[in-house]
Amino acid sequence: MALRACGLIIFRRVPPASDIEFLLLQTSYGTHHWTPPKGHVDPGEDDMTTALRETEEEAGLHASQFTVVDGFRKELNYNVKNKAKTVIYWLAELRDPSAQVKLSREHQDFRWLPLREACEYSGYQDMQDTLNDAYQFLQGDPKQ
């Protein structure tokens, strides 16, 4: 059976030009890679509930602090240690751009990054593509 995880690509609009920045968390294990908040689906839990729970657990951001953006959902499929893994991401806008991120022990650092830097930090092509898709979606690109 494939591993399944869900998460949110959290972004904020930063004054004065309302530039978009994405939240990436650096893991405190393995290669210390950078990723949006995400985690495994618990038994009996639906995907969105997982995404909301993991965002609160890993970044300290409660569902009342952001708005999930209608119409954006990306599914990534890849292998981890020879096991199939599916990760589903939704897009969510932080209501207060100055809201504090509070990391769990699973992560050692976080950054708010513009698209280009977020793609550089993420390292994985499928995550870079997903961040680019999210940015294009927010710009109103009809291809999304």
Side-chain angles (χ1 to χ4, degrees), residues 79-98:
N79 288 316
V80 177
K81 299 177 184 172
N82 295 322
K83 284 188 144 180
K85 183 171 185 176
T86 297
V87 181
I88 299 169
Y89 285 108
W90 290 270
L91 190 55
E93 182 172 10
L94 197 61
R95 290 187 176 135
D96 174 3
S98 64

Side-chain angles (χ1 to χ4, degrees), residues 4-10 23-25 27 29 33-39 47-48 51 54-55 58 68-69 71-78 85-92 107 122 124 126-131 133-134:
R4 187 173 185 85
C6 298
L8 295 176
I9 298 170
I10 304 285
L23 175 64
L24 293 182
L25 311 178
T27 61
Y29 56 85
H33 64 283
W34 293 82
T35 180
K38 71 172 185 327
D47 290 346
M48 181 57 78
E54 289 290 343
T55 299
E58 294 185 354
V68 176
V69 177
F72 185 90
R73 179 185 179 278
K74 290 292 175 184
E75 182 174 313
L76 283 58
N77 294 287
Y78 53 92
K85 183 171 185 176
T86 297
V87 181
I88 299 169
Y89 285 108
W90 290 270
L91 190 55
H107 296 90
S122 71
Y124 294 101
D126 57 354
M127 191 68 241
Q128 293 172 9
D129 293 345
T130 300
L131 289 168
D133 289 348

Side-chain angles (χ1 to χ4, degrees), residues 1-118:
M1 184 174 155
L3 299 170
R4 187 173 185 85
C6 298
L8 295 176
I9 298 170
I10 304 285
F11 72 96
R12 66 182 184 181
R13 295 181 195 269
V14 193
S18 289
D19 292 332
I20 293 170
E21 292 182 335
F22 295 99
L23 175 64
L24 293 182
L25 311 178
Q26 185 182 36
T27 61
S28 54
Y29 56 85
T31 59
H32 305 296
H33 64 283
W34 293 82
T35 180
K38 71 172 185 327
H40 293 110
V41 177
D42 285 344
E45 189 173 53
D46 68 45
D47 290 346
M48 181 57 78
T49 300
T50 298
L52 296 171
R53 175 181 54 76
E54 289 290 343
T55 299
E56 187 167 6
E57 287 177 6
E58 294 185 354
L61 297 172
H62 186 269
S64 64
Q65 294 178 278
F66 52 81
T67 302
V68 176
V69 177
D70 286 337
F72 185 90
R73 179 185 179 278
K74 290 292 175 184
E75 182 174 313
L76 283 58
N77 294 287
Y78 53 92
N79 288 316
V80 177
K81 299 177 184 172
N82 295 322
K83 284 188 144 180
K85 183 171 185 176
T86 297
V87 181
I88 299 169
Y89 285 108
W90 290 270
L91 190 55
E93 182 172 10
L94 197 61
R95 290 187 176 135
D96 174 3
S98 64
Q100 295 298 306
V101 173
K102 298 175 197 92
L103 296 176
S104 73
R105 285 182 281 165
E106 292 180 56
H107 296 90
Q108 62 185 15
D109 201 0
F110 73 92
R111 295 272 193 298
W112 287 103
L113 300 165
L115 177 64
R116 185 183 57 75
E117 289 179 52

